Amino acid sequence: KAGQGVPFNKLLADYVAERGSLAPRGVASMRPHVASLAAFTRHDDAQQLTSDEVVAWKNKLLKDGGTGGRPLASKTVNDNYLATIRALMGWAVGNRLVPANPCDGI
């Protein structure tokens, strides 16, 4: 898998398929978080995602917010946006799709 790229949406689809028990509403809430990250980084490859990009994305969400343009609360960013990406990237590490979770320590 190394070098082939891991699109964020495919990562989410594979994560959901393996987990199986995720509620559709929960999955639906994850999609905009993944899309937000992909739009911010301007790439669609989990293998390229860096900790610096995650921190910059987090800071942008706190300052400029999401689609509404208003700053998001720290709790919202941490418990929703970062939690989604942290879980996906952790799953990707466990499935040998990426070497490390760039969300670790953030």
Side-chain angles (χ1 to χ4, degrees), residues 58 61-63 65-66 70-81:
K58 172 193 67 111
L61 292 170
L62 291 170
K63 181 181 177 221
R70 284 189 279 184
L72 296 176
S74 179
K75 182 170 176 49
T76 299
V77 172
N78 289 325
D79 293 355
N80 296 300
Y81 288 80

Side-chain angles (χ1 to χ4, degrees), residues 16-30:
V16 169
E18 183 174 301
R19 301 290 301 224
S21 63
L22 296 175
R25 193 169 156 197
V27 174
S29 73
M30 295 171 87

Side-chain angles (χ1 to χ4, degrees), residues 6 14 57 61 67 69 71-73 83 94:
V6 179
D14 292 349
W57 175 60
L61 292 170
T67 56
L72 296 176

Side-chain angles (χ1 to χ4, degrees), residues 26-81:
V27 174
S29 73
M30 295 171 87
R31 285 191 181 102
H33 302 151
V34 172
S36 170
L37 177 65
F40 177 81
T41 61
R42 297 184 186 174
H43 67 77
D44 186 27
D45 185 357
Q47 290 180 336
Q48 292 182 31
L49 186 62
T50 68
S51 294
D52 288 343
E53 287 176 320
V54 174
V55 169
W57 175 60
K58 172 193 67 111
N59 291 337
K60 177 153 179 48
L61 292 170
L62 291 170
K63 181 181 177 221
D64 300 327
T67 56
R70 284 189 279 184
L72 296 176
S74 179
K75 182 170 176 49
T76 299
V77 172
N78 289 325
D79 293 355
N80 296 300
Y81 288 80

